[in-house]
Amino acid sequence: MVPTSYYLILAAIIFTLGVIGVLVRRNALVIFMSVEMMMNAVNLTLVALARQKGSLAGQVFVFLIMAVAAAEVAIGLAIVMEIVRHRDTTNVDELNLLKW
Amino acid sequence: TALLVLVIDTFAGEKRWLVWLALLGTIVAGVTTWSLSLGPTLYLQDMLAADPYALFIDMVVLIITAISLLLAYDWLNSHAHQQGEYVALLLFSAVGMMTMGAATNVITIFVALEILSLSLYVLTGFARERLTSGEAALKYFLLGAFASAFFLYGVALLYGATGHFDLVGIGKNMAGTGLMAAAGVALLLVGFSFKVALAPFHMWTPDVYQGAPTSVTAFMSVGAKAAGFAAFLRFFHVALAGSYATWGPALAALAVLTMTWGNLAALNQESVKRMLAYSSIAHAGYALVGLAAGNALGMSGLLFYLLAYAFMNLGAFGVIIMLEKKGSGDLSMSALRGTAREHPLLAATMAVFMFSLAGVPPLAGFFGKFYVFGAAVKANMTWLAIVGIINSAISAYYYLRVSVLMYMVEPDENTTDVATNNRPVLAFALLVALVFVIGIGLWPGIWMQMAQQAAALLG
Amino acid sequence: MELVLFIVFGLLALIGAFGVLISQKPVHSALFLLLNFVMLGFLYLVLGAQFLAASQLIVYAGAIVVLFLFVIMLIGSDTVGDFVAKGRTLSRYLSIILGVLFLAGVGYAVGARAFPPAAGAPDFGTTEAAGKVLFTQFLVPFELVSILLLVAMIGAIVLAHGVWPAPSRRPRE
């Protein structure tokens, strides 16, 4: 019976990797992937807690999160396509038309 | 609930209908919401509560949507080819806002937040011919997704600590849960602060406001903030009433940071839209003062402030739409020079909005700030009120700068010969905003009473 | 036994996470992401959430990663050549330090609580059980999510709609 906190620690690590990924990477797509990874880490935490609490609420919420994430991906990729059509790069650095 | 059903039918024929139908839909929704507010509070599986608080928020959102529809009317006719979609997305985000206001369960808040943000991401990227719009959408999207991941993680940790998703449940066994709950609350705060563009998380605001088409910026700046604050207020008051001592000062500090940062940054902005973006950040700071005060007056002050702020900002953006050159999507200060000579009426309305934003007595802005700062003083946070007043003084500078530019300075040679006469709809929207701004200013009592009645629920 | 499974899947998931971060070409990071998602699916199985494990594999590993690969291919992986913050080493190290601090904070908060080991009921995570709860207790968010998906569809079509005959990709629900 692996104590729940192991899962939570693992999820926290993955979440942080996602955060670092978003901060470090310059490519819009990779940033987007790390955000998805963060979402997944949250899902893992919720599932672990759901088991520990014995209630299904957590799992159902995770299911809803998946649907939300899928919708988000659809919109995100459409926007990225939009950008690429105008300019041939997805490097976040180069998209600095809007001055600071 | 009845609330949701009536809202969903507003966009039944959403695809190809013209703006007028959407407007009709908003008005119908408004009327029914009003009638609903007389009825008893009805709960739906502890997820949504159509209580007076939620109905007040809905009324605010509906008014905002109606005016933004008017604002968008000309822009849509001129060159947007997907008019139906624009209107549909606008209404969807309105649905998201309303559900967010009414949500009593963290999951519902999250899903409503997502509906709201997704439709706004798309709307920001709507003016496809201009690259800035696409870029603004990308920035908004990436940071938005990033923030909702934080929000989610906060929710998960809170679930871990308290075992509940609904606000009341969280509130009840929030007491002895120590670190995990604190981390959860902190992460949740990050998510909320991003949505409402509070200080450390407002980086995206100026770029996105400038990039997005002006009518979308108007809607976004006001609507998202109103919904965000509604959920923020409900969450902090219902769920965390007990541990006010911890998050009270934290919010106060955040408010101060937001106010000062927003104001200072707005001082030397060249583009009017960016200036308004920073001013909206500063206003978020003022509103947060109401929340930080934590007492009943603070809450009703916050609700009142949202209402007053909505009209002022919509009006100001409306004037910008009027003055905007075709497709430029942005209006620099210099273009403002000497507008008083060519369009005296327009300049006058802009001046009224600017004064109201700055908080000049007879207008709505003043009373908004007055109630909010009053609440801070009552919650013996006088220092917060003082900082607020100093900030309003700073803000007065750049608001007046706009009016000074318009009136005193004579027009340079390439002033825009903007066609302001053939836009009756836009003029009507400006008129409505103007009437409300002055109306709220002159008779704050009745509005405040409505806000108090709404806030009473939570008190 | 569960400990062994946990260690194996956990490690692989971490490798996946690192891979997304490190790899040069976005296609590689997409594949590492896939690894991460699949491993998480297995972890759900270990945690007794069968229904979620299945949907995780279908939704995440199946739809989202495929969409990523689709877009990467569409854009042409040369233009998408990744630039891992060349020359901006300062900001890179700064963010890593920040990340580690963040991890320490959250990790401690999460780990500090001693969780009583709870034995899940046998049919704990089955589809039927989860479904029951979904439609009784969580009806409202379920409906809201349907609105959300509708918005996503409209949004994707609006954005992808073609000045340039971009392939209008219907998002997978």
Side-chain angles (χ1 to χ4, degrees):
Chain A
M1 244 324 274
V2 177
T4 323
S5 41
Y6 284 17
Y7 288 101
L8 297 184
I9 303 278
L10 174 69
I13 297 169
I14 299 179
F15 188 87
T16 326
L17 285 173
V19 169
I20 295 175
V22 168
L23 297 179
V24 166
R25 293 305 288 257
R26 290 298 121 219
N27 180 339
L29 282 176
V30 179
I31 292 179
F32 197 11
M33 285 185 214
S34 359
V35 170
E36 285 304 320
M37 213 164 57
M38 285 158 66
M39 289 267 191
N40 254 335
V42 172
N43 286 351
L44 180 63
T45 344
L46 275 170
V47 171
L49 288 172
R51 183 189 70 152
Q52 200 258 326
K53 294 220 181 312
S55 85
L56 277 171
Q59 292 191 8
V60 168
F61 188 23
V62 170
F63 181 67
L64 292 179
I65 294 176
M66 283 191 203
V68 166
E72 219 176 87
V73 168
I75 296 279
L77 293 179
I79 292 178
V80 168
M81 289 293 300
E82 186 61 40
I83 297 277
V84 164
R85 209 155 359 108
H86 284 280
R87 297 257 302 276
D88 236 356
T89 166
T90 53
N91 180 344
V92 178
D93 280 349
E94 286 167 23
L95 301 178
N96 37 36
L97 273 179
L98 302 159
K99 67 175 174 37
W100 186 243
Chain B
T1 60
L3 187 75
L4 268 179
V5 165
L6 66 90
V7 163
I8 291 170
D9 72 38
T10 54
F11 51 82
E14 21 86 16
K15 263 295 188 293
R16 284 287 165 269
W17 288 97
L18 282 174
V19 175
W20 295 115
L21 177 81
L23 200 60
L24 180 69
T26 356
I27 294 162
V28 162
V31 165
T32 8
T33 326
W34 188 269
S35 63
L36 247 179
S37 66
L38 315 171
T41 325
L42 37 95
Y43 283 83
L44 179 73
Q45 288 172 346
D46 69 45
M47 292 287 184
L48 278 171
D51 45 29
Y53 175 79
L55 295 177
F56 182 85
I57 301 290
D58 294 349
M59 288 309 287
V60 171
V61 167
L62 282 173
I63 297 167
I64 295 171
T65 335
I67 297 181
S68 349
L69 279 170
L70 290 176
L71 291 184
Y73 184 73
D74 301 293
W75 183 74
L76 277 181
N77 288 350
S78 54
H79 54 77
H81 33 71
Q82 287 155 327
Q83 196 170 7
E85 276 84 359
Y86 182 93
V87 169
L89 285 171
L90 206 72
L91 289 175
F92 275 129
S93 53
V95 167
M97 288 180 209
M98 284 194 249
T99 2
M100 213 166 150
T104 53
N105 180 315
V106 187
I107 304 179
T108 342
I109 294 181
F110 171 67
V111 178
L113 182 69
E114 284 296 315
I115 297 178
L116 171 65
S117 337
L118 277 187
S119 28
L120 282 182
Y121 298 149
V122 178
L123 282 172
T124 331
F126 207 82
R128 296 228 305 277
E129 63 284 357
R130 278 204 324 279
L131 180 57
T132 50
S133 166
E135 194 186 300
L138 181 68
K139 278 185 180 151
Y140 190 22
F141 173 76
L142 283 180
L143 287 166
F146 187 53
S148 32
F150 270 95
F151 183 86
L152 260 183
Y153 201 47
V155 165
L157 288 183
L158 268 181
Y159 176 65
T162 59
H164 279 274
F165 279 120
D166 55 309
L167 295 180
V168 176
I170 294 177
K172 267 205 285 298
N173 40 38
M174 183 62 187
T177 43
L179 212 54
M180 191 160 174
V185 168
L187 288 168
L188 223 70
L189 190 61
V190 168
F192 270 131
S193 320
F194 172 80
K195 201 66 222 161
V196 178
L198 295 180
F201 311 99
H202 72 296
M203 299 308 168
W204 58 273
T205 324
D207 294 356
V208 172
Y209 281 18
Q210 190 183 8
T214 319
S215 47
V216 171
T217 318
F219 181 70
M220 179 163 60
S221 71
V222 176
K225 243 182 253 303
F229 266 115
F232 206 145
L233 180 66
R234 188 187 280 271
F235 179 77
F236 268 84
H237 199 83
V238 171
L240 304 182
S243 55
Y244 170 70
T246 45
W247 55 264
L251 281 188
L254 208 59
V256 167
L257 188 64
T258 323
M259 279 191 276
T260 20
W261 196 328
N263 277 326
L264 294 182
L267 283 180
N268 45 28
Q269 281 305 333
E270 180 44 28
S271 132
V272 181
K273 269 166 92 174
R274 284 187 86 87
M275 187 271 285
L276 273 178
Y278 281 114
S279 97
S280 77
I281 296 168
H283 282 283
Y286 300 137
L288 195 61
V289 166
L291 187 55
N295 46 33
L297 180 61
M299 282 198 313
S300 34
L302 174 62
L303 291 177
F304 180 87
Y305 197 95
L306 287 179
L307 189 67
Y309 171 71
F311 291 113
M312 297 186 277
N313 224 356
L314 280 175
F317 275 112
V319 172
I320 292 179
I321 294 176
M322 193 74 102
L323 291 174
E324 220 173 31
K325 289 192 285 300
K326 266 285 163 291
S328 78
D330 198 355
L331 180 67
S332 62
M333 288 287 190
S334 49
L336 267 180
R337 208 170 286 114
T339 33
R341 227 144 258 104
E342 279 118 32
H343 331 287
L345 190 60
L346 193 60
T349 37
M350 186 60 164
V352 165
F353 290 132
M354 283 300 143
F355 287 144
S356 168
L357 279 168
V360 168
L363 296 173
F366 170 74
F367 286 100
K369 288 186 178 146
F370 174 72
Y371 285 122
V372 165
F373 291 151
V377 169
K378 209 158 84 99
N380 53 50
M381 281 194 189
T382 31
W383 57 273
L384 192 60
I386 295 164
V387 168
I389 293 163
I390 299 166
N391 269 299
S392 327
I394 304 171
S395 72
Y397 165 71
Y398 58 81
Y399 288 129
L400 297 187
R401 180 166 160 240
V402 171
S403 17
V404 158
L405 268 176
M406 281 200 291
Y407 279 92
M408 311 316 171
V409 181
E410 73 303 325
D412 49 22
E413 59 312 325
N414 58 7
T415 46
T416 60
D417 46 16
V418 169
T420 52
N421 33 43
N422 62 8
R423 301 196 195 180
V425 175
L426 194 53
F428 173 68
L430 286 179
L431 185 67
V432 166
L434 192 66
V435 160
F436 268 103
V437 164
I438 298 172
I440 294 178
L442 296 182
W443 306 284
I446 42 168
W447 305 96
M448 190 52 191
Q449 184 262 337
M450 261 166 42
Q452 242 134 16
Q453 189 243 348
L457 151 92
L458 290 176
Chain C
M1 221 302 275
E2 187 190 339
L3 193 61
V4 170
L5 282 181
F6 170 76
I7 303 289
V8 169
F9 293 145
L11 273 180
L12 282 171
L14 279 179
I15 294 166
F18 265 110
V20 171
L21 229 60
I22 308 296
S23 58
Q24 281 303 338
K25 288 180 68 60
V27 180
H28 294 182
S29 45
L31 293 177
F32 274 115
L33 193 68
L34 180 65
L35 170 69
N36 189 3
F37 285 163
V38 170
M39 283 310 128
L40 281 177
F42 288 143
L43 275 176
Y44 291 160
L45 269 180
V46 168
L47 277 170
Q50 295 84 349
F51 169 61
L52 277 188
S55 47
Q56 156 94 354
L57 286 179
I58 298 165
V59 171
Y60 268 108
I64 291 182
V65 175
V66 165
L67 259 180
F68 267 112
L69 291 173
F70 185 81
V71 170
I72 293 174
M73 289 311 156
L74 197 64
I75 296 173
S77 53
D78 46 5
T79 55
V80 181
D82 193 84
F83 325 90
V84 182
K86 275 199 293 301
R88 295 246 304 270
T89 47
L90 169 70
S91 76
R92 211 143 47 112
Y93 292 129
L94 192 66
S95 48
I96 290 172
I97 294 159
L98 239 136
V100 169
L101 272 175
F102 175 77
L103 172 63
V106 174
Y108 174 67
V110 165
R113 281 171 58 87
F115 284 97
D123 69 341
F124 177 61
T126 57
T127 324
E128 164 257 341
K132 208 157 15 78
V133 170
L134 185 64
F135 289 108
T136 49
Q137 204 191 351
F138 285 80
L139 198 56
V140 172
F142 189 74
E143 298 302 334
L144 284 176
V145 168
S146 62
I147 296 177
L148 180 73
L149 292 174
L150 182 57
V151 169
M153 271 192 285
I154 295 179
I157 293 165
V158 160
L159 285 176
H161 197 270
V163 168
W164 168 52
S168 70
R169 214 180 343 72
R170 299 217 32 106
R172 302 166 62 91
E173 279 82 48

